[in-house]
Amino acid sequence: MNKNLKKTKIIATLGPASSDKETMIQMIQAGVDVFRINFSHADYELVLKNVNIIREINKEYGYSVSILGDLQGPKLRVGVVKEGSFLNPGDILTFTNEKLEGDATKVYMTYEKFPQDVKVGERILIDDGKLVFEVIETNNIDTVRAKTIQGGPLSSKKGVNLPNTDVSLPALTEKDIEDANFMLDHEFDWIALSFVRHAQDIIDLKELMAKHPNKTKTPIIAKIEKPEGVKNIDEILLECDCLMVARGDLGVEVPMEQVPVIQKNLVNKARLYAKPVIIATQMMETMINILTPTRAEVNDVANSVLDGADAVMLSGETSVGKYPVEVVRNMAKIVKNIEKTPLYSKLNHVIEEKINCVDERFITDKVCRSAVDVAKSTGAEAIVTLTSSGYTAFQISAHRPSSHIIVFSNNKRVITMLNLLWGVRAFYYDMEKSTDETVIQVNMLTHNFGFVEQGDFVINLNAMPVHNGGKTNTMRLSTI
């Protein structure tokens, strides 16, 4: 039964279409591994209800579904605009800090430092790039004048993108700080930080976490959706725990034709640093209203899997769409089919090791890499590891072995957190036995769960002594 599990994980966004227990159960059975809660549209009472339902389902059914909280970040918007406002190429639009009802000549900009940040000649994009303007004048105080390059209807509260501008907004807004503390209060498994531009953005969130009474480490996902984030990816990867290629805003901020190559490069970079990577936005949007995805959408999901993503994410498809269960089922079918192909096995080869000094994780890193090599050469059916932090699971997963990655931990939060990682299946184990007893017991459990059969080779990774919770330093090849 467990031999046919998909290895690429599916993240589904919760919303009005999917916020009841029965629908969530069906979505998990269809293939959901992680539920995302978008704090751009979050009511704390409803969020807490959903969190409790997910944990209830995990307990009742023995699942390990993760909870991912997604911070809104510094999203720029225009204010309220009169209905029927329309701009033609060549029209001049004035952006002002004065709160007023806008029209086709003047509009309120929610970002106060907008006149100081933008420069003459830079582009302003509104409504995902449907309207394009060029800055012709700024008084550096409260007003910016821009010429319409690409016109169209101007509507209220639409998002604004500044692809050429170095925006001085902090990555964490006041709303984000409040939302992050809420996530920490309720022990979310992952926190996603939007519009990450520099490593300092991640450090700022870590400092907020350090001040929180709940000292349990919550891993951070860096959402890459601005050109600065792409440019500074190496320094960001040193600080974050996971990457998300957020193609919605990224496709507006950089030329659209560059996004596919950026996606591939970010996936490769993340794997080099042994950090999981999520591909997100507009994957199967047709299925918001229609039961069948387009062939282009099927190809997009397939190519994201072939690129080596740890997870693919659904947004509006499951939060507000008509077919939240069916879209997950379709996505899971595509994922499983691609993973069976020889092309996938060929592309998902072991990554090159990054140049690394001998540090405190050097031995663990080498043991994990060796385990993947030995698994390949022996045809081992599973790599079985014990972990208290989850570190070895990150390392093994990054190398994409054809073997099952079976993880045992005495930390229940680590078990649900690891459900986002490619190929990882995590289970509870108290880790209080001696090394020999431990290997026998976890191998027996791996057999009972249906991942291995009698006669299969298994690789066991341990820290010796086990009960000290040390770093992995031992590899053993054994037979079931």
Side-chain angles (χ1 to χ4, degrees):
M1 179 182 70
N2 286 323
K3 300 225 175 202
N4 296 316
L5 287 171
K6 62 181 172 55
K7 295 192 173 184
T8 306
K9 304 301 179 71
I10 294 176
I11 302 172
T13 303
L14 289 177
S18 50
S19 286
D20 64 275
K21 186 174 179 179
E22 187 53 43
T23 302
M24 288 189 209
I25 291 168
Q26 288 179 30
M27 289 169 73
I28 295 166
Q29 289 170 342
V32 166
D33 302 282
V34 181
F35 279 121
R36 168 182 175 251
I37 296 171
N38 183 0
F39 276 74
S40 298
H41 317 285
D43 169 84
Y44 282 177
E45 191 178 333
L46 181 59
V47 169
L48 201 50
K49 175 176 164 276
N50 285 337
V51 167
N52 289 335
I53 289 172
I54 295 164
R55 288 179 175 154
E56 202 177 280
I57 293 169
N58 279 346
K59 194 172 180 182
E60 282 180 26
Y61 291 82
Y63 297 136
S64 304
V65 176
S66 300
I67 301 170
L68 187 165
D70 197 338
L71 296 168
Q72 178 179 285
K75 184 75 176 175
L76 311 186
R77 296 187 186 277
V78 294
V80 175
V81 179
K82 283 179 186 170
E83 278 194 41
S85 297
F86 194 95
L87 287 138
N88 293 298
D91 289 351
I92 305 300
L93 181 65
T94 301
F95 295 84
T96 175
N97 286 353
E98 181 189 351
K99 289 187 180 178
L100 48 74
E101 185 181 30
D103 55 27
T105 62
K106 201 175 205 181
V107 69
Y108 167 59
M109 163 57 80
T110 57
Y111 176 39
E112 277 187 23
K113 291 188 177 178
F114 182 63
Q116 289 101 303
D117 282 358
V118 297
K119 295 175 177 61
V120 172
E122 291 182 344
R123 292 285 174 107
I124 301 168
L125 280 61
I126 299 179
D127 194 8
D128 289 337
K130 292 184 180 74
L131 290 92
V132 181
F133 304 86
E134 185 178 307
V135 177
I136 57 173
E137 184 187 330
T138 174
N139 68 357
N140 294 310
I141 302 165
D142 59 6
T143 305
V144 172
R145 295 178 72 239
K147 182 174 74 174
T148 306
I149 306 297
Q150 181 174 298
L154 178 62
S155 309
S156 296
K157 298 185 178 178
K158 290 298 182 184
V160 177
N161 292 89
L162 304 170
N164 316 119
T165 305
D166 190 4
V167 179
S168 56
L169 264 174
L172 279 171
T173 65
E174 285 183 24
K175 172 179 163 51
D176 292 331
I177 290 168
E178 187 183 339
D179 290 344
N181 279 310
F182 176 87
M183 294 179 202
L184 295 169
D185 289 342
H186 298 286
E187 298 189 332
F188 278 45
D189 296 302
W190 294 86
I191 294 182
L193 182 60
S194 295
F195 301 104
V196 172
R197 292 163 289 170
H198 309 280
Q200 188 59 48
D201 298 336
I202 306 292
I203 294 166
D204 291 345
L205 180 53
K206 284 182 176 177
E207 287 172 356
L208 180 149
M209 289 175 169
K211 292 173 188 169
H212 192 274
N214 182 356
K215 296 297 180 186
T216 308
K217 183 183 181 293
T218 303
I220 298 169
I221 299 169
K223 291 175 68 178
I224 305 301
E225 44 201 328
K226 292 188 78 66
E228 301 101 302
V230 177
K231 181 184 171 188
N232 300 320
I233 195 62
D234 285 289
E235 66 173 53
I236 290 166
L237 277 163
L238 287 171
E239 293 295 336
C240 73
D241 302 285
C242 176
L243 275 192
M244 183 189 292
V245 187
R247 305 177 305 179
D249 278 282
L250 185 62
V252 178
E253 293 272 352
V254 304
M256 61 180 180
E257 66 273 13
Q258 293 181 15
V259 174
V261 174
I262 289 171
Q263 174 174 311
K264 293 179 191 309
N265 287 339
L266 290 178
V267 170
N268 289 336
K269 279 276 186 186
R271 286 185 58 199
L272 191 64
Y273 284 82
K275 305 288 173 79
V277 58
I278 302 160
I279 306 297
T281 327
Q282 297 173 335
M283 300 216 83
M284 300 182 83
E285 275 204 338
T286 303
M287 283 196 72
I288 291 176
N289 295 306
I290 298 170
L291 199 50
T292 308
T294 67
R295 299 302 170 263
E297 288 169 334
V298 172
N299 268 290
D300 182 36
V301 174
N303 281 319
S304 296
V305 174
L306 287 169
D307 285 348
D310 284 73
V312 282
M313 191 175 103
L314 296 162
S315 299
E317 300 95 332
T318 54
S319 61
V320 296
K322 292 179 182 176
Y323 309 104
V325 178
E326 290 83 352
V327 71
V328 173
R329 195 172 287 129
N330 278 342
M331 185 174 256
K333 278 184 196 172
I334 299 163
V335 169
K336 285 180 182 178
N337 188 65
I338 290 297
E339 288 179 351
K340 287 177 187 171
T341 63
L343 180 62
Y344 183 70
S345 304
K346 195 185 296 182
L347 290 174
N348 267 301
H349 52 75
V350 175
I351 56 169
E352 294 299 318
E353 291 180 279
K354 66 177 184 289
I355 297 167
N356 196 2
C357 60
V358 178
D359 58 16
E360 60 175 6
R361 292 291 192 180
F362 179 80
I363 293 173
T364 299
D365 292 353
K366 293 297 179 186
V367 169
C368 290
R369 171 61 189 258
S370 298
V372 174
D373 290 341
V374 173
K376 185 178 180 182
S377 63
T378 60
E381 199 64 38
I383 300 172
V384 182
T385 180
L386 289 96
T387 181
S388 52
S389 69
Y391 183 84
T392 52
F394 278 76
Q395 290 295 315
I396 297 163
S397 175
H399 291 297
R400 303 293 193 261
S402 55
S403 317
H404 292 295
I405 306 168
I406 310 301
V407 179
F408 291 94
S409 179
N410 60 356
N411 186 332
K412 289 181 179 177
R413 281 202 69 197
V414 166
I415 291 168
T416 49
M417 178 264 285
L418 290 175
N419 216 45
L420 186 148
L421 271 64
W422 183 96
V424 172
R425 303 289 163 190
F427 304 93
Y428 182 78
Y429 180 75
D430 63 16
M431 297 169 66
E432 291 296 323
K433 310 292 184 203
S434 70
T435 304
D436 288 336
E437 278 186 76
T438 300
V439 170
I440 292 165
Q441 287 194 0
V442 296
N443 286 353
M444 183 179 69
L445 288 169
T446 303
H447 175 269
N448 293 346
F449 293 148
F451 293 102
V452 293
E453 296 172 358
Q454 191 171 351
D456 286 342
F457 281 123
V458 172
I459 291 170
N460 293 97
L461 302 183
N462 299 86
M464 291 186 66
V466 174
H467 60 270
N468 279 4
K471 296 176 179 63
T472 297
N473 57 10
T474 308
M475 178 178 72
R476 181 187 300 199
L477 177 64
S478 51
T479 313
I480 298 296

